[in-house]
């Protein structure tokens, strides 16, 4: 009877594996680009969860089949229903990933998905570093439209809120909800009188990126003709377009030395993104993954503390070292 036990238990995994194999390229190419709620679990969770579910489903189907006497008339209805739901289960990944059909998201109607997408396109002011409610007149709420905001916000000489640092800079593999770039910079100008300036840039919306803002506003304000040693501490690595802008700036400005410390690698599985990272290296950019010590440096030098309170020490999150090693290995594979 062990053969039946194994057969029933393994059967659900066959369709699950085929679904993953046929759509494995769609995960980094399409699914990872979707804007998801912050509570969406890490991609690492899904293989473990589905393995447990399929194993449980398969073994339970064997128990039902065995209790009903095997291939008997009593087993037709329950096993038929089980087979039907198993086929539907197997059919969902090709429809969702292959056809890029968000309406196949189980248990959510298209109208609900639309509302969620609108909500994610317009994150709350609190997430962007602004209070949720701005007063106008006598207690009236002022609603600011996203399109009325500048393409990026530059904060010089001020520190970013601790809550943003803890969320945006966290070096998780799955960056759901982290759709903005926080760039902390240090510019050391080697002239007659050495000058060091620092600050941070924050994306306001997708029309402009913090990396572009640095080259458009911060660098031109520095002493012309001098050597500039620039260090960025960025929540995630630059996109392809920003990488091209970085390469262009390094080739034109021979006095510019740029080191980029990133918390996460953005879309690193895409060949185009990997090529962009390699081109940055070839242009002279030093690209590094932030170590726990680097996160601590940003905490001390770029994160604001509550007024009237003593400076709080940096508390590393549980998997900070593990995730650093993960991204460091991935970056080494891409650049070498």
């Amino acid at each position: 009877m062990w053969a039946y036990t194994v057969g029933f238990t393994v059967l659900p995994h066959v369709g699950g594996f085929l679904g993953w194999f046929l759509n494995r390229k769609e995960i980094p190419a399409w699914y990872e680009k979707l804007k998801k709620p912050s509570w969406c679990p890490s991609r690492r969770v899904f293989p473990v969860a589905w393995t447990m579910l399929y194993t449980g489903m398969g073994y339970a189907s064997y128990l039902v089949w065995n209790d009903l006497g095997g291939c008997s008339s009593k087993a037709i209805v329950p096993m038929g229903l089980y087979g039907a739901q198993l086929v539907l289960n197997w059919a969902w990944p090709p429809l969702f990933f292959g056809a890029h059909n968000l309406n196949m998201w189980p248990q959510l109607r298209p109208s609900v998905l639309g509302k969620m997408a609108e909500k994610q396109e317009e994150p709350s002011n609190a997430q962007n570093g602004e209070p949720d409610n701005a007063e106008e007149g006598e207690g009236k709420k002022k609603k600011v439209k996203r399109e009325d905001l500048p393409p990026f916000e530059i904060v010089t000489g001020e520190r970013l809120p601790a809550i943003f640092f803890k969320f945006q800079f966290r070096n998780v593999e799955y960056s759901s909800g982290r759709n903005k770039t926080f760039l902390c910079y240090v510019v050391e100008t080697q002239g007659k009188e050495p000058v060091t300036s620092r600050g941070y840039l924050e994306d306001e919306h997708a029309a402009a990126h913090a990396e572009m803002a640095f080259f458009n506003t911060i660098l031109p304000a520095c002493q012309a003709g001098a050597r500039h040693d620039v260090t960025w501490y960025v929540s995630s690595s630059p996109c392809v377009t920003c990488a091209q802008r970085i390469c262009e700036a390094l080739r034109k400005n021979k006095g510019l030395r740029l080191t980029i410390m990133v918390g996460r690698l953005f879309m690193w599985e895409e060949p185009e993104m990997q090529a962009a990272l390699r081109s940055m290296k070839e242009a002279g950019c030093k690209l590094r993954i932030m170590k726990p010590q680097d996160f601590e440096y940003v905490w001390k030098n770029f994160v604001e503390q509550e007024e009237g309170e003593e400076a709080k020490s940096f508390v590393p999150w549980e998997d900070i070292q593990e995730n650093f090693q993960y991204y460091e290995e991935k970056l080494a594979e891409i650049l070498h």
Side-chain angles (χ1 to χ4, degrees):
M1 296 297 290
W2 65 267
Y4 289 107
T5 306
V6 174
F8 275 93
T9 304
V10 171
L11 178 61
H13 293 277
V14 175
F17 175 79
L18 289 175
W20 167 83
F21 182 79
L22 295 174
N23 300 282
R24 65 192 186 282
K25 294 182 180 179
E26 298 296 334
I27 296 175
W30 175 71
Y31 179 74
E32 289 295 332
K33 294 180 180 179
L34 296 177
K35 291 185 177 180
K36 312 173 190 66
S38 59
W39 42 262
C40 187
S42 168
R43 200 174 68 189
R44 294 179 179 178
V45 174
F46 291 102
V48 178
W50 278 110
T51 298
M52 297 174 62
L53 287 171
Y54 279 141
T55 300
M57 289 165 54
Y59 185 67
S61 68
Y62 163 75
L63 294 177
V64 173
W65 176 82
N66 187 54
D67 288 346
L68 295 179
C71 299
S72 64
S73 58
K74 294 181 179 180
I76 294 178
V77 174
M79 297 306 295
L81 292 174
Y82 167 72
Q85 71 84 26
L86 196 59
V87 171
L88 291 174
N89 189 296
W90 290 344
W92 177 77
L95 291 172
F96 180 76
F97 292 101
H100 297 179
N101 191 348
L102 292 178
N103 292 340
M104 295 305 296
W105 192 346
Q107 299 179 356
L108 285 178
R109 300 191 307 272
S111 59
V112 177
L113 288 169
K115 292 179 180 178
M116 288 182 63
E118 292 176 3
K119 185 176 181 180
Q120 291 174 38
E121 286 290 342
E122 299 182 2
S124 67
N125 288 335
Q127 184 178 350
N128 290 333
E130 304 164 4
D132 274 333
N133 299 327
E135 294 185 357
E136 180 183 24
E138 296 179 359
K140 293 183 178 180
K141 295 180 180 178
K142 181 180 179 181
K143 184 177 181 180
V144 181
K145 295 183 179 180
R146 295 286 296 175
E147 56 268 27
D148 294 337
L149 294 171
F152 48 78
E153 177 185 0
I154 301 176
V155 180
T156 303
E158 296 185 12
R159 298 169 175 242
L160 61 101
I163 189 173
F164 295 164
F165 169 79
K166 293 177 180 178
F167 179 72
Q168 297 288 350
F169 272 87
R170 186 157 183 164
N171 59 347
V172 293
E173 178 189 356
Y174 187 80
S175 56
S176 177
R178 296 168 174 85
N179 300 320
K180 303 176 67 174
T181 300
F182 281 74
L183 188 157
C184 302
Y185 64 85
V186 179
V187 181
E188 296 177 318
T189 303
Q190 309 298 330
K192 294 182 179 180
E193 297 182 2
V195 178
T196 300
S197 60
R198 67 180 66 224
Y200 87 90
L201 304 173
E202 170 191 346
D203 287 349
E204 194 58 68
H205 56 73
H209 294 173
E211 297 90 338
M212 296 291 194
F214 179 87
F215 290 115
N216 293 336
T217 60
I218 304 301
L219 193 60
C222 298
Q223 182 180 343
R227 173 176 170 175
H228 305 294
D229 294 328
V230 179
T231 303
W232 289 355
Y233 298 88
V234 198
S235 54
S236 64
S237 58
C239 65
V240 173
T241 303
C242 289
Q244 294 172 347
R245 180 70 174 88
I246 290 170
C247 294
E248 179 185 344
L250 289 170
R251 294 189 181 104
K252 287 184 177 180
N253 191 343
K254 300 301 181 181
L256 176 62
R257 302 291 183 270
L258 178 61
T259 300
I260 303 180
M261 315 289 290
V262 301
R264 303 183 303 276
L265 290 177
F266 173 71
M267 302 291 292
W268 63 268
E269 294 173 312
E270 299 241 4
E272 186 180 13
M273 191 68 255
Q274 295 180 7
L277 295 175
R278 286 192 289 267
S279 66
M280 290 170 57
K281 178 185 177 182
E282 294 171 359
C285 175
K286 296 181 180 178
L287 188 61
R288 304 286 187 270
I289 302 298
M290 290 178 65
K291 301 178 181 178
Q293 300 93 311
D294 297 316
F295 288 104
E296 183 176 10
Y297 174 84
V298 173
W299 175 266
K300 290 181 178 179
N301 293 275
F302 293 98
V303 177
E304 66 184 12
Q305 303 292 335
E306 296 291 337
E307 293 184 7
E309 292 186 2
E310 296 182 1
K312 298 179 180 179
S313 59
F314 172 66
V315 180
W317 41 90
E318 183 179 357
D319 51 359
I320 186 172
Q321 180 65 27
E322 176 186 350
N323 292 342
F324 156 69
Q325 293 174 344
Y326 170 82
Y327 278 121
E328 186 178 49
E329 292 175 1
K330 296 302 178 184
L331 181 61
E333 293 174 2
I334 293 170
L335 299 182
H336 295 87

